[in-house]
Amino acid sequence: MIHVLASLLAGALVLLPMEGRSQESVPASSPAPRVVELHGELELDHIVELKVDQLQAWSVRAGGPTDPGNPLAAGHPAWALVPYIDGRALKGLTPLAVNLGSGLLQFHLRITPDNRDTWTHLLGPLTFERPVRLSVGLVEVDPFATDLTLDNRRAMLTVINWRWMLAAAMVVVAFGMAFCALAAHSTLLMERTATAQGGLSHRFSLAKVQLALWFFVVFSAFLVIWLATGNFDSVNGSILSTLGISAGTALGDTLVKAAAPGGAASPGQRAPGDNFFAPPWTVKRFLRDLVSDDEGCSLSRFQMLAWTAALVLVFLADVYDDLQMPVFGPELLYLLGLSSGTYMAHRVPEMLRERQRPVVAPPPANGAPTFSAAQPNPTTAARPP
């Protein structure tokens, strides 16, 4: 019995120092780090500074010699922190400067290959600025707690600087007004055509209108994407193909008209009906000219106009939501090319019918004899050798 009591007493004496040592080795729990302040404008290509409470304590606790299992224990884990916006880590944006004593982290907000997709989701849809939740943390680890939340609106992400947006809008409006003035007072968007009375007139060209529409849509989207993301390589292969189809349609339309001898294709001939403002320019006339040929409303013109409007709508929606130009698949480009090809195929018989109409020449001022376009001038007929 005495031996048993002695053994129990010896065991108790051994356990007491071990328990004391284990308690001494456990460090006292310190408050978790928390993002409390933002200095600077939260905007692409800007430098911002974040103040984090308990940053030094977290750094020592996480990266000190007491945590040998941490791969960042050799230095300062604060140098591996990255910004978190709305819970998304901006990979590759490690601090430019770290001040553990004051808890300050400095970041240069920029787009890198690692965070390009993240920025695309953060910047869309298109707006000037919006509140976000801003924090910092290690990649693929929960970010620190933060006072910069959506509720207090203390962190406002600038998507597009309104000053640069105003400058870009002025450029687009200036070009647009100049284009509209030319279109209203010249044949910029029109083509010459023969009337049923044998005169010459003008009507709006569907091919030219389509080419002009795609030009302004892509031009405006390019400026907006550049202002928001700084990316000036936003034009992709499918957009170039779309512009190429539109340009090819306009060029083919011009070649078809130039291949028709006489009639409306002769630029030097004018007739009493060759009046640019006859009938007056109206929206009704504009739409009628786009969907009609010399025989009335044309299905090929209507489907080409409908597909152009649909693709422009999809294009604008993608730029607004994702701030990048959409990528049209090959099937969609084939469909657009088929629509343009059908339009061009119907233009050939239209030009043949137009060529058969006589064009009445205007009476000369000096009383000289006149001749119609369908009859050659005998004075200029071919002489025998």
Side-chain angles (χ1 to χ4, degrees), residues 272 361-368 370:
N366 55 5
T370 60

Side-chain angles (χ1 to χ4, degrees), residues 124-295:
L126 185 64
T127 184
F128 287 103
E129 64 177 12
R130 63 170 171 271
V132 294
R133 184 178 186 272
L134 179 62
S135 182
V136 296
L138 298 175
V139 177
E140 299 180 356
V141 179
D142 290 342
F144 296 162
T146 180
D147 292 339
L148 310 177
T149 63
L150 293 173
D151 297 332
N152 55 33
R153 302 174 66 90
R154 292 177 57 186
M156 300 295 294
L157 175 64
T158 301
V159 178
I160 293 184
N161 189 298
W162 69 268
R163 298 176 183 86
W164 287 108
M165 187 63 180
L166 179 61
M170 292 176 62
V171 171
V172 174
V173 170
F175 278 104
M177 292 179 63
F179 184 86
C180 291
L182 289 174
H185 297 89
S186 69
T187 58
L188 181 65
L189 293 179
M190 289 191 166
E191 61 184 3
R192 179 174 288 185
T193 181
T195 64
Q197 294 76 22
L200 295 177
S201 183
H202 291 87
R203 68 178 180 188
F204 287 99
S205 170
L206 177 58
K208 291 183 179 180
V209 170
Q210 183 195 48
L211 180 59
L213 177 62
W214 276 115
F215 164 73
F216 274 101
V217 167
V218 175
F219 178 69
S220 302
F222 172 82
L223 290 179
V224 169
I225 295 174
W226 172 68
L227 288 175
T229 66
N231 180 21
F232 49 82
D233 291 330
S234 56
V235 180
N236 52 55
S238 66
I239 300 303
L240 290 178
S241 299
T242 303
L243 291 175
I245 292 174
S246 300
T249 303
L251 178 60
D253 194 22
T254 302
L255 293 177
V256 168
K257 291 188 69 67
S266 301
Q269 296 177 350
R270 292 182 61 87
D274 191 7
N275 189 354
F276 177 66
F277 291 104
W281 192 98
T282 60
V283 176
K284 181 179 179 181
R285 177 198 172 187
F286 175 73
L287 295 177
R288 185 181 69 245
D289 287 350
L290 294 185
V291 299
S292 302
D293 55 17
D294 59 337
E295 292 185 332

